[in-house]
Amino acid sequence: MTGLTADPLDLAALIAAVSDPENGGLTSFLGCIRREDAIRPVIAIEYEAYEELTETELAAVAAEATSRFGAHVACMHRSGRVEVGEPSVAVAVSAPHRSAAFAACRYVIDELKVRAPIWKRMHYADGATEWIDGRDRVADRRPA
Amino acid sequence: MTGLTADPLDLAALIAAVSDPENGGLTSFLGCIRREDAIRPVIAIEYEAYEELTETELAAVAAEATSRFGAHVACMHRSGRVEVGEPSVAVAVSAPHRSAAFAACRYVIDELKVRAPIWKRMHYADGATEWIDGRDRVADRRPA
Amino acid sequence: MASPISVTVRLFASLREAAGASRMTLSVPHATPVGALWSHLPEGISAGEPPAALRYALNHEWTLPGAPLRDGDEVAFVLPVSGG
Amino acid sequence: MASPISVTVRLFASLREAAGASRMTLSVPHATPVGALWSHLPEGISAGEPPAALRYALNHEWTLPGAPLRDGDEVAFVLPVSGG
């Protein structure tokens, strides 16, 4: 179970997908939208993905973790708007023991952060929006 | 939220307990009963805890993780009988970023495994039972 | 000039908004390297140099700037990501 | 012998089953060190030497074998654990 979804993430479904009576360790991770009060308060983040390549990369990362750590892996990333406090990415991993489960879970989240072509558009409490895509702000002057 | 329960573990409740809009990383761990087909198939494990000291140690470990990793921590351990595939321990941790969340979650599970005075009685598929408490099998001849 | 070929460019995030479209067709010389494609974007969209960490995908697979383009290829400008 | 004191011993897992009870009261000399208490258990329960990694709790707090006992204390024999 890997890929993109426009629906709220369902960690329980990911956990069910990786459960295995031979696997004693099940580690999961939720990446949630931070309000970042101290910096510039956020109300939501909008995710835009290059869908085809994201699906391929999430599947590849999961397969690598499976072969490398002997783990079952489920990993879903949100597209569309996600409110503060809500998860934008969910990873669930099971393995015979906890060391492999933790290592595999960490591997998946670290790799997808780099390899999944997904961009964030910040929606700030002050009404401004901003794409986080490495380009300077000139592009924001154009009406959304 | 730390302590013992005789009820099935509710990871969603632990996750809700540690959620915080300022915390972007939420890591959880479930320790599940392994069937261990290849060794000696298990059907269930019965947990007996020295309750007072377990409650104190779980709270202490959680407090240490909170101060050391700046994390919110929830950790529950099962008492009584747990079937294969079911979780006997659940940890949920949130922190501003994933590194602290993973480190804190790992800290809690590693520490509680050593410090919580809890013992396992294995219930094997072949009908035998066995306490895992460091004493040789003489004690098992006595009827349960 | 080598006979022109037509390639599709996938645009995301602020590029998509600048262009008002998620796809564009560009006509470029045959075998133009992927890394040269940015300069063919209209100035109103590219707004100058590409970001340092720009990556490319060719027909939905990661590619390197030197890969030569063929007619009908689809290139994605993978701007620095910030997912998760 | 120093005047005897009465202490409660908490028994868990296979010890509890051997004793058929989770608590026992033992009468020992005043200031007996916690680590000496095991030998006061009836042979039918202790079944020989304590496990190597035996730990002790005194009134619900971790303690060391040398801690002297006082009347009314509660000691737990914390057998090697296998929780989680």
Side-chain angles (χ1 to χ4, degrees), chain A residues 11 15 21-22 24-37 84 96-99 102 106 110 113, chain B residues 11 15 21-22 24-37 96-99 102 106 110 113:
Chain A
L11 181 59
I15 286 178
E22 288 305 325
L26 198 156
T27 301
S28 72
F29 177 77
L30 291 174
C32 303
I33 308 306
R34 297 182 64 211
R35 195 170 50 196
E36 303 196 70
D37 240 356
V84 160
H97 298 293
R98 65 182 185 279
S99 286
F102 273 100
R106 187 64 194 270
D110 286 349
K113 283 236 178 209
Chain B
L11 180 60
I15 286 178
E22 288 305 326
L26 198 157
T27 302
S28 72
F29 177 77
L30 292 174
C32 304
I33 309 307
R34 297 182 64 210
R35 195 170 51 197
E36 302 195 71
D37 241 354
H97 297 294
R98 66 181 185 279
S99 286
F102 273 101
R106 186 64 194 270
D110 286 349
K113 283 236 177 210

Side-chain angles (χ1 to χ4, degrees), chain B residues 5-142:
Chain B
T5 178
D7 302 324
L9 294 174
D10 177 0
L11 180 60
L14 275 78
I15 286 178
V18 300
S19 291
D20 178 336
E22 288 305 326
N23 285 354
L26 198 157
T27 302
S28 72
F29 177 77
L30 292 174
C32 304
I33 309 307
R34 297 182 64 210
R35 195 170 51 197
E36 302 195 71
D37 241 354
I39 308 167
R40 186 178 186 181
V42 173
I43 49 171
I45 295 181
E46 196 186 323
Y47 288 90
E48 179 179 340
Y50 174 10
E51 293 188 6
E52 297 90 332
L53 189 49
T54 292
E55 297 281 0
T56 314
E57 284 295 89
L58 292 183
V61 167
E64 291 153 29
T66 294
S67 65
R68 194 161 144 181
F69 302 100
H72 300 324
V73 178
C75 165
M76 296 295 291
H77 199 293
R78 273 298 306 277
S79 60
R81 184 181 170 109
V82 186
E83 305 299 323
V84 160
E86 293 301 310
S88 56
V89 59
V91 180
V93 163
S94 78
H97 297 294
R98 66 181 185 279
S99 286
F102 273 101
C105 191
R106 186 64 194 270
Y107 176 84
V108 170
I109 187 68
D110 286 349
E111 288 291 304
L112 79 81
K113 283 236 177 210
V114 175
R115 291 165 54 181
I118 300 172
W119 297 272
K120 286 194 260 201
R121 187 189 202 181
M122 310 300 287
H123 290 259
Y124 297 109
D126 58 25
T129 67
E130 178 184 22
W131 278 107
I132 310 295
D133 62 5
R135 298 181 66 237
D136 65 34
R137 298 189 54 80
V138 65
D140 294 322
R141 278 195 300 277
R142 209 177 285 279

Side-chain angles (χ1 to χ4, degrees), chain A residues 88-142:
Chain A
S88 56
V89 59
V91 180
V93 163
S94 78
H97 298 293
R98 65 182 185 279
S99 286
F102 273 100
C105 192
R106 187 64 194 270
Y107 177 86
V108 170
I109 187 67
D110 286 349
E111 288 291 304
L112 78 84
K113 283 236 178 209
V114 176
R115 290 165 54 180
I118 300 172
W119 297 271
K120 287 193 262 203
R121 185 190 204 182
M122 310 299 287
H123 290 260
Y124 297 109
D126 59 26
T129 67
E130 177 186 24
W131 278 107
I132 310 295
D133 60 7
R135 297 183 65 237
D136 66 32
R137 298 188 54 77
V138 64
D140 295 323
R141 279 195 300 279
R142 208 172 287 278

